[in-house]
């Protein structure tokens, strides 16, 4: 099973018209890796809309957002809500940030994000919007000001999956977010009792694999795994870090020849 991509409107047109470096300047964004649009359902079946921040190295290779460790944590969060298929994810920025701080969105950047949010809400059945991190939260707040949805949607604001907080602080925040999201979802994929996070990450349950049906056809299964397989740059050759992503098959998936 794989994700068929952007073959339906209005998403096809949104990809066709994706903003380029005139909207995402090269000094702040890694536009050379292309726009990375989404992950999840665009067929109207999503019950949860996730808004993340910006794509990183794994996402640039897999061509879907939230595929690295942040994505596995988000997938685990959704699993606790009984959501294993009916979600869709976009980022606050269409391109990967270059540099440490997120710049304030320009109106053109926002307009494209608003078009995506509107398309998802208008073609679907989203019950909850979960924003991960302050940048995503701001995009949603600006969306509500600019294009108030006809039917109100519950927002749950959570800290980003890789926020610089202690594990206990992050998981405490996520437990509160789980409570609010759980109460707002009437049609989960699985009716599960809500089990909160402990004080520490337990990677064996809290990191959930990216389903093959979220990824483009032909992507090897190890690219859906939780082990880090892509890093920016490498220590061999003198190219700018932004110009190289090193991809390494995890040891457990290597073929012995
Ligand atoms: N990858 C994404 O696509 N978004 C995030 O917010 C973090 C990592």
């Amino acid at each position: 099973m794989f994700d068929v991509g952007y073959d339906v409107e209005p998403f096809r047109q949104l990809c066709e018209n994706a903003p380029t470096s005139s909207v995402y300047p090269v000094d702040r964004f890694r536009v050379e890796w292309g726009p990375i649009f989404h992950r999840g359902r665009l067929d109207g079946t999503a019950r949860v809309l996730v808004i993340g921040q910006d794509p990183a190295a794994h996402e640039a290779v897999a061509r879907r957002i939230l595929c690295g460790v942040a994505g596995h944590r988000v997938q685990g969060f959704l699993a606790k809500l009984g959501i294993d298929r009916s979600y869709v994810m976009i980022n606050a920025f269409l391109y990967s940030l270059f540099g440490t701080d997120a710049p304030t969105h320009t109106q053109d950047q926002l307009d494209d994000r608003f078009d995506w949010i509107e398309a998802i809400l208008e073609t679907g059945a989203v019950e909850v919007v979960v924003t991960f991190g302050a940048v995503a939260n701001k995009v949603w707040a600006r969306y509500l000001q600019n294009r108030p949805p006809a039917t109100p949607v519950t927002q749950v604001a959570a800290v980003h999956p890789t926020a610089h907080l202690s594990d206990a602080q992050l998981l405490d925040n996520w437990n509160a977010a789980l409570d609010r999201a759980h109460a707002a979802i009437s049609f989960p994929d699985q009716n599960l009792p809500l089990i909160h996070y402990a004080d520490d990450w337990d990677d064996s349950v809290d990191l959930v694999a990216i389903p093959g049906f979220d990824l483009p056809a032909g992507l090897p299964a190890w690219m859906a795994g939780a082990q880090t397989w892509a890093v920016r740059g490498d220590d061999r050759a003198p190219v700018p870090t932004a110009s190289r992503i090193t991809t390494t098959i995890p040891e457990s998936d290597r073929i012995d020849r």
Side-chain angles (χ1 to χ4, degrees), residues 52-56 59 65-67 70-71 91 160:
Q53 185 178 291
D54 70 298
E59 289 78 11
I65 70 158
L66 284 162
C67 287
N91 276 323
H160 191 269

Side-chain angles (χ1 to χ4, degrees), residues 3-4 40 53 84 86 88 105 108 110 113 115-117 127 129 135 152 175 178 183 189 194 202 206 218:
D3 178 44
V4 291
Q53 185 178 291
D84 57 18
S86 302
V88 59
H105 280 84
D108 285 345
L110 281 176
R113 299 296 74 200
D115 288 345
W116 270 83
I117 295 172
E127 298 184 287
V129 177
V135 181
N175 279 334
L178 277 178
D189 298 315
L194 180 55
D202 175 355
D206 297 338

Side-chain angles (χ1 to χ4, degrees), residues 43-169:
D43 60 359
T45 61
R47 293 280 168 187
V48 179
L49 165 60
V50 165
I51 308 182
Q53 185 178 291
D54 70 298
H58 292 85
E59 289 78 11
V61 179
R63 310 312 301 172
R64 293 293 181 272
I65 70 158
L66 284 162
C67 287
V69 71
H72 284 76
R73 288 179 174 178
V74 168
Q75 202 70 32
F77 179 94
L78 294 173
K80 284 180 176 292
L81 296 171
I83 297 288
D84 57 18
R85 187 177 185 103
S86 302
Y87 54 81
V88 59
M89 309 178 186
I90 61 167
N91 276 323
F93 291 111
L94 185 59
Y95 293 87
S96 180
L97 282 170
F98 181 67
T100 43
D101 296 328
T104 303
H105 280 84
T106 63
Q107 193 57 48
D108 285 345
Q109 291 164 0
L110 281 176
D111 284 342
D112 169 65
R113 299 296 74 200
F114 294 169
D115 288 345
W116 270 83
I117 295 172
E118 193 166 84
I120 288 167
L121 295 184
E122 287 187 353
T123 58
V126 169
E127 298 184 287
V128 186
V129 177
V130 186
T131 54
F132 285 103
V135 181
N137 189 35
K138 205 183 273 179
V139 167
W140 178 251
R142 298 285 297 275
Y143 178 75
L144 292 181
Q145 285 162 2
N146 279 259
R147 303 194 195 176
T151 316
V153 193
T154 302
Q155 182 209 355
V156 172
V159 296
H160 191 269
T162 57
H164 296 294
L165 296 174
S166 69
D167 289 353
Q169 283 173 319

